[in-house]
Amino acid sequence: MAEDSSDSSTSSTHPEVRWLPLEGNPDIWNQLVHSHGVGPQWSYTDVYGFDPELLDMIPRPVLAIIFLFPLTENYEKHKEKEEAHLTKHEQNVSPNIVFFRQTIANACGMIALLHSLANNESIVGPGLFHDLIEESKDMSPDERAEMLEKSKELADIHMTCAQEGQTQAPDISEEVDLHFICFVVKDQHLYELDGRKLFPINHGKCLDLVDGSAKVMRQYIARDPEQTNFSAIALTKTPEN
């Protein structure tokens, strides 16, 4: 499973930065975060489906849900309509939410991973991700995007992981039509964090991240009933063997 191109609002005068797509493979994501400051007691795991009995199989507690879906005309229309509505009717967004804009082509997997960690900072120990989170704390989303573009260390570890997938990595210039986003709960509200959007989306009061995010993911699926490339992974407490 690979991922999309960059934020569609990136200026044409801005030199494009492109990365290889990252697979939605929990083993690769775990290898990445466990070697850069996240302890083995937290890990990414596959979500086997969106029906309640399959969602019940996800180990608890769950800190974040990563959703992979196809970029379609329906997604773009919904995104445009949603952003126009929320720009006109301003939503409440917790000051504790950390949001990154995606300006690097094919970087949505890393952006989703960063969203999952930056909004659960307590699990991130010393290392690259801790440093990026600390450096970005007082930045705007656009300033954070620029910081990520300039991080050679992040680009290098992304390249290493992108080449370790189970499927052959596409050519770096190839347009990919799948996209990762992240769901987290902050201050008892469910947030959708999509680096292609202008801002976080507050989906309202939420007492259970899995149930809340599943409702939104099923809305994505319903908007594109002819599509089949929907999947998810969860950041959870690692089950004891």
Side-chain angles (χ1 to χ4, degrees), residues 18-74:
R18 297 186 71 87
W19 289 355
L20 282 174
L22 189 65
E23 248 187 34
N25 181 330
D27 292 338
I28 293 175
W29 290 43
N30 288 331
Q31 179 182 343
L32 173 58
V33 299
H34 291 160
S35 58
H36 291 88
V38 177
Q41 65 269 36
W42 298 99
S43 58
Y44 296 94
T45 186
D46 280 313
V47 175
Y48 294 108
F50 303 104
D51 295 331
E53 63 270 18
L54 296 174
L55 296 172
D56 285 344
M57 297 171 62
I58 302 173
R60 265 60 170 186
V62 180
L63 299 184
I65 297 287
I66 311 293
F67 183 44
L68 180 67
F69 62 92
L71 289 175
T72 65
E73 184 177 347
N74 288 335

Side-chain angles (χ1 to χ4, degrees), residues 155-189:
D156 288 345
I157 66 169
H158 181 99
M159 175 67 78
T160 299
C161 290
Q163 293 174 333
E164 291 180 356
Q166 294 177 344
T167 57
Q168 182 175 352
D171 186 272
I172 198 167
S173 63
E174 185 177 328
E175 294 294 336
V176 182
D177 64 353
L178 296 176
H179 184 56
F180 287 104
I181 61 175
C182 177
F183 294 95
V184 298
V185 169
K186 189 70 70 173
D187 299 329
Q188 297 185 321
H189 282 70

Side-chain angles (χ1 to χ4, degrees), residues 31-238:
Q31 179 182 343
L32 173 58
V33 299
H34 291 160
S35 58
H36 291 88
V38 177
Q41 65 269 36
W42 298 99
S43 58
Y44 296 94
T45 186
D46 280 313
V47 175
Y48 294 108
F50 303 104
D51 295 331
E53 63 270 18
L54 296 174
L55 296 172
D56 285 344
M57 297 171 62
I58 302 173
R60 265 60 170 186
V62 180
L63 299 184
I65 297 287
I66 311 293
F67 183 44
L68 180 67
F69 62 92
L71 289 175
T72 65
E73 184 177 347
N74 288 335
Y75 162 82
E76 296 295 350
K77 286 180 178 178
H78 176 75
K79 171 177 173 288
E80 183 177 340
K81 182 179 178 181
E82 181 181 56
E83 288 178 344
H85 174 78
L86 293 176
T87 299
K88 185 177 181 180
H89 306 280
E90 188 172 348
Q91 61 177 340
N92 290 320
V93 174
S94 168
N96 297 316
I97 239 356
V98 180
F99 179 65
F100 293 87
R101 291 289 303 281
Q102 181 193 340
T103 56
I104 303 170
N106 295 335
C108 63
M110 183 61 76
I111 298 296
L113 183 150
L114 283 168
H115 278 142
S116 72
L117 298 182
N119 290 286
N120 292 287
E121 186 183 359
S122 63
I123 73 167
V124 184
L128 173 61
F129 293 120
H130 178 270
D131 294 345
L132 290 172
I133 293 167
E134 284 297 311
E135 185 178 348
S136 71
K137 276 192 171 175
D138 296 323
M139 292 182 175
S140 69
D142 288 332
E143 289 170 334
R144 290 175 183 143
E146 185 176 358
M147 175 195 73
L148 298 182
E149 286 190 15
K150 293 179 178 178
S151 175
K152 184 178 185 304
E153 187 176 359
L154 186 65
D156 288 345
I157 66 169
H158 181 99
M159 175 67 78
T160 299
C161 290
Q163 293 174 333
E164 291 180 356
Q166 294 177 344
T167 57
Q168 182 175 352
D171 186 272
I172 198 167
S173 63
E174 185 177 328
E175 294 294 336
V176 182
D177 64 353
L178 296 176
H179 184 56
F180 287 104
I181 61 175
C182 177
F183 294 95
V184 298
V185 169
K186 189 70 70 173
D187 299 329
Q188 297 185 321
H189 282 70
L190 175 69
Y191 287 92
E192 175 185 338
L193 305 173
D194 179 347
R196 295 183 88 249
K197 295 184 177 180
L198 296 176
F199 32 66
I201 307 300
N202 183 346
H203 285 287
K205 201 82 170 177
C206 180
L207 300 178
D208 186 284
L209 170 59
V210 173
D211 288 345
S213 60
K215 181 179 179 180
V216 180
M217 291 187 287
R218 284 193 286 262
Q219 292 171 356
Y220 270 83
I221 295 169
R223 279 194 291 270
D224 279 297
E226 297 179 358
Q227 299 289 332
T228 58
N229 288 333
F230 298 96
S231 61
I233 61 178
L235 175 59
T236 77
K237 188 84 170 180
T238 305

